Structures are given as C-alpha cells and as structure tokens.
Amino acid sequence: MESTHLLNTSKKRVKIHPHTVTAKYATQAPYSPQPGVHTHFPQPGDEGYDDAPSFEDFGSFLEETSDKKQLTESRKWRLTLFGSKEKDTANKLQTLGGAEGSEGGAKAAKASGKGVGEQLASFGEASVSASRLTWVGLLGAALAHGCLIVLTRLASERFSLGPLFLLLVRSIVQLVSVAVPLHRGENLFGPRGYRLRLLCYGVAYSLSLCCAYASLTFVSPGDGTTTWRLATTALSAILAFLLLEERLGLADGITIAAGLCGLGLVLLPTADESNSDSQTDPVKFWRGAFGWSLSALAGLWMALALVGYRSLKERVGVGTALFTVSWTGCLLAPASLFLLQEGWSWPMSAEAWGLVLGLAACSVAAFLGMTHALTRLHPSLVSASQSLEVPVAMLLHLAVLPLAPTAPEVVGNVMVILSVGWLVAIKLLPARGGGRRQREEYEEILDSPIK
C-alpha cells in the first residue's frame, strides 16, 4: 500500500486497485488533475464497470494478505514444538473452502427436506457414537492394564520370570504387527518428514516401559504402577499445554485432580511398612528410593510419548506406532537387562508360556485402546482413564492372591473409580437443553442476512 501526504488538506481522492492504493491530497479548491493520477471511477453502464473490484473483494484481499495476519499466524504456530508442517496450509484451505461454500451450504440446508432438527440429530448421533467407541476402547485398555499388573506379578512369583525379560518377550511377540503397515502399503518407519519424530516417540515409549518394569525389582508392583500412572497423568497435562497448547477444561481438570488424590491415597504406606527396618537400613532405603525414581521417570517418558503421538495422529497409524514401539523395545530391553544385571530365565512349562502369551495379548489390547483414543482426546484424559487399572488390579489380587487392602487403599480406589466414571459421564451424556440451544443458534445463522 502506497500513500503520499501533504499538509493543509481540504480534499482527498482515493484510487482503489487490486494491489495498490494511491492517495493524493489537494491544497486548493477546486482541485486540478495531476498527471499520472486517475480521478474517474467506472460508473454503472460504463465500459469496465463489471471488472472493477468491489470494496468487499478488496477488504477480503487485504485481510488475506495483511502482514498483521501473517505475523499472528506465524507466532501462533512457532510456539507449538510438535505442530504439523502442513497445519497452517490445511487451515488456510479450510478457511477458503468454508468461505466459498458457506452460502451454498446454508441454502442447501434450507432447501433440504430433512430439516434442521434431523440434521443436528444425525450430527449428534455420529459424534456420540464415535465418542462411545473411544471410551469403550479406553475402558477396555484399563482392564487390560490391570490384568498386566497381575500377570506380571504371577510370572515373577510362581515362575521366577524377571519383569524386563517379560518386556523383551512381549516386544518380540508384538513384532508381528509389521503386517498391518505392510498390508496398508505404509512405510514401516513413518512418512517422509516425520520419521525422526516417530523414532523419538518409539524410544520414549520403550524407555518408559523399561523404567517401569525395572522399578518392579525394587518396589512392589502396586506401588510402582500407581506412581507411574500418577506421574504420567500429571506430566502429560503439563507437557500437552507447553508443547501442543492443548488446555484442559475446568471440569476435566477438577476430575483429574480428584483421581490423582485417590492415587495418592493408594500410595500411603501401611503400618507394617512404616515400622519396618527399611527406614534404618541404608541399603533397603536407597533401593526403594531408586525404584520410586524409576517409576517417576517412567511417567515422564510415557507423558512425552503420549504427547508425541498426539502430534503425529494424522500422519502415523496405530499399526505403525505399535511396530515402532515393538522394535525399539527389542533394542532397549536387552540393554536394560545388561545394565541391571537381571538374569535370564526362560519359561519351562506350557502354563508359563501361556501366561507370557496372555501378557503379550493384554499389552497389545491396552496399546491399541490408548493410541486410538489419542486421536480424539487430550493425553491427560487418556492417562487418567487408565487409572482404573489400579482398582482392577486390586480386585484381581483379591481373587488370585488374597491380600486384605487397607482403608486408604479402599478409599483411594473408590475415588479413582468415581473420577473416571464422572469423566465418562460428562463426555458422553448430553447437556440438559443443549440440543434445543444448538437448534436455535443454527436457525439464527441460517436466517441471518450476513453469511
């Protein structure tokens, strides 16, 4: 835009052009035309009147090409560390497409015989159906995680199978997931431009599993799993805000905080643990501290993995993600075995092999449910829903290994169940009067003269 200003102005003439605007100010009246400055606009009936740009076209041109808009968008996306490369371009295409089709879409909606109510009902049914499938998958994943805790403990106590060895066998079995990306014609290591981020996701996920399984050597499976889940839920909320700019709603935040408080109650030491000699024995004390540290570190790595896949959800399928986690686990699990000097002990009976295969099947089911949910839900909501694994594991322990839980454990598990149940309810149950309000807003838009 180019402009020239002179003092003591009395008249102003503006020439509008698709690319430039030239403004000249006169110092005397009447104004005498100057060379190179057009003073006539096409009038209705004149030649070239239809080709002249309208003020609306010129306004949209300025809006799309303004430096302020480009600067705002560049600042917005540069703050997101894991933002997609094509996200800005896709948003621009969607904006242009929506602007072109808004008027036609409104007319078609009015002319359609279904009516506004039926359209809103169909949209709502499709959304609720997808949400229900997502939450069913998440609850199934939490059940599978609870079974994993019990199976890992049984394998360690009855068959002397180390946790890291179980992780290695599970990663090897999961390599059969390579058939999914091969069948779909996808690259095994992710699309071009996203392979490094997919590798970082696989390494973070596998490191989380290695730290979590290694901590079971130093602390009890219940305490290690609860610490892992608590750290994952809290840190995923923070990292999603910092790296993806995804915020939790007020109701979601309160519900997740209540669930975290329940997990904290589960972690309270019992009277026997408080009176044990681990407080005076330095070796036992530092072993326990190392185990707790590994559990918390596992939560940090898992939170990074969840946020990382959340940024790759539109580019990497669930099968490719499972294969990435499997082959990185096959590399990192033996390294962890070597560092911690954990012995190798192969299953020697059919029952032991059945338990190992069941553990691998539960791990695959849990992974699929969680990863699919990440394409639709906040990472912290996904992790918070998996807190149900703690009550599930407690119930299974009562059935397999009869151990009476303490009062804080019972209260904490009840709080976890109520928080997850409330979370599912507020996500799936429609708000009272919400459908009527949406219909009124939709009709107001359709009847508005401004589209």
Side-chain angles (χ1 to χ4, degrees):
M1 183 178 292
E2 179 186 28
S3 62
T4 304
H5 302 273
L6 298 175
L7 297 176
N8 300 324
T9 62
S10 59
K11 291 186 178 180
K12 182 177 71 171
R13 294 181 304 103
V14 179
K15 170 200 169 185
I16 298 181
H17 189 269
H19 301 290
T20 60
V21 174
T22 303
K24 293 289 185 179
Y25 296 88
T27 59
Q28 57 184 2
Y31 175 73
S32 59
Q34 298 179 6
V37 179
H38 299 281
T39 61
H40 175 70
F41 291 99
Q43 300 299 321
D46 294 348
E47 182 179 0
Y49 173 78
D50 295 333
D51 299 332
S54 63
F55 283 89
E56 295 179 358
D57 296 337
F58 186 69
S60 62
F61 169 78
L62 287 181
E63 183 181 358
E64 292 299 326
T65 59
S66 63
D67 295 335
K68 181 178 179 181
K69 178 180 180 181
Q70 295 176 3
L71 180 61
T72 304
E73 291 178 350
S74 63
R75 285 180 179 176
K76 178 180 179 181
W77 292 116
R78 285 177 184 174
L79 289 175
T80 58
L81 181 61
F82 292 111
S84 175
K85 294 181 179 179
E86 286 82 7
K87 197 167 187 178
D88 194 11
T89 306
N91 283 345
K92 288 184 178 179
L93 293 177
Q94 289 178 1
T95 303
L96 293 176
E100 293 175 357
S102 59
E103 185 175 356
K107 292 180 179 179
K110 280 189 172 182
S112 129
K114 294 176 63 177
V116 176
E118 295 182 3
Q119 291 180 35
L120 291 177
S122 62
F123 294 155
E125 289 175 1
S127 178
V128 171
S129 177
S131 299
R132 286 175 180 172
L133 291 177
T134 301
W135 282 101
V136 167
L138 272 178
L139 297 180
L143 178 61
H145 274 131
C147 295
L148 274 175
I149 299 173
V150 178
L151 292 178
T152 303
R153 184 169 181 176
L154 288 176
S156 177
E157 294 181 354
R158 295 189 179 181
F159 302 103
S160 301
L161 300 177
L164 288 174
F165 172 77
L166 293 174
L167 176 60
L168 176 59
V169 175
R170 144 185 176 176
S171 300
I172 295 174
V173 173
Q174 289 177 355
L175 285 177
V176 298
S177 62
V178 69
V180 177
L182 288 179
H183 176 71
R184 295 183 176 180
E186 301 175 357
N187 192 296
L188 296 179
F189 302 100
R192 187 180 302 274
Y194 297 87
R195 293 173 184 174
L196 180 59
R197 287 161 61 180
L198 180 60
L199 175 62
C200 293
Y201 158 76
V203 171
Y205 199 101
S206 298
L207 281 176
S208 174
L209 294 179
C210 289
C211 292
Y213 276 72
S215 67
L216 301 182
T217 307
F218 306 98
V219 296
S220 65
D223 291 343
T225 304
T226 305
T227 306
W228 181 25
R229 183 57 55 197
L230 191 152
T232 301
T233 304
L235 293 174
S236 60
I238 299 174
L239 292 176
F241 172 73
L242 295 177
L243 301 179
L244 300 179
E245 292 187 347
E246 292 190 9
R247 299 171 175 83
L248 286 170
L250 180 60
D252 295 339
I254 295 175
T255 306
I256 291 176
L260 293 180
C261 291
L263 293 177
L265 288 177
V266 175
L267 288 175
L268 290 178
T270 60
D272 296 337
E273 293 175 349
S274 301
N275 298 328
S276 63
D277 57 351
S278 61
Q279 302 295 331
T280 58
D281 189 351
V283 176
K284 292 184 178 180
F285 173 79
W286 287 111
R287 279 177 60 88
F290 183 66
W292 290 101
S293 301
L294 284 177
S295 299
L297 186 60
L300 174 60
W301 286 117
M302 182 56 69
L304 283 172
L306 296 180
V307 173
Y309 185 79
R310 177 73 173 170
S311 67
L312 296 171
K313 60 181 182 178
E314 298 177 355
R315 294 291 176 179
V316 178
V318 177
T320 305
L322 178 59
F323 174 71
T324 303
V325 170
S326 301
W327 72 262
T328 52
C330 290
L331 297 179
L332 294 177
S336 302
L337 280 169
F338 176 77
L339 289 176
L340 296 178
Q341 299 295 319
E342 185 176 310
W344 295 72
S345 56
W346 290 91
M348 302 302 296
S349 63
E351 184 180 1
W353 276 110
L355 189 146
V356 171
L357 294 178
L359 190 147
C362 290
S363 65
V364 171
F367 180 88
L368 295 179
M370 281 186 57
T371 308
H372 172 71
L374 283 173
T375 61
R376 298 179 58 90
L377 299 174
H378 191 282
S380 186
L381 295 178
V382 174
S383 180
S385 66
Q386 300 308 295
S387 301
L388 276 180
E389 65 182 353
V390 178
V392 170
M394 184 191 71
L395 295 177
L396 292 178
H397 279 153
L398 292 177
V400 179
L401 304 170
L403 296 174
T406 61
E409 289 179 351
V410 174
V411 175
N413 284 300
V414 170
M415 289 182 63
V416 170
I417 294 174
L418 292 179
S419 65
V420 176
W422 178 253
L423 192 63
V424 176
I426 62 178
K427 293 298 179 182
L428 295 184
L429 295 181
R432 182 176 300 178
R436 183 177 59 185
R437 182 170 59 254
Q438 291 178 357
R439 173 170 180 161
E440 292 176 354
E441 293 176 353
Y442 189 64
E443 290 178 344
E444 182 180 356
I445 294 173
L446 291 181
D447 296 336
S448 173
I450 302 177
K451 299 292 190 296

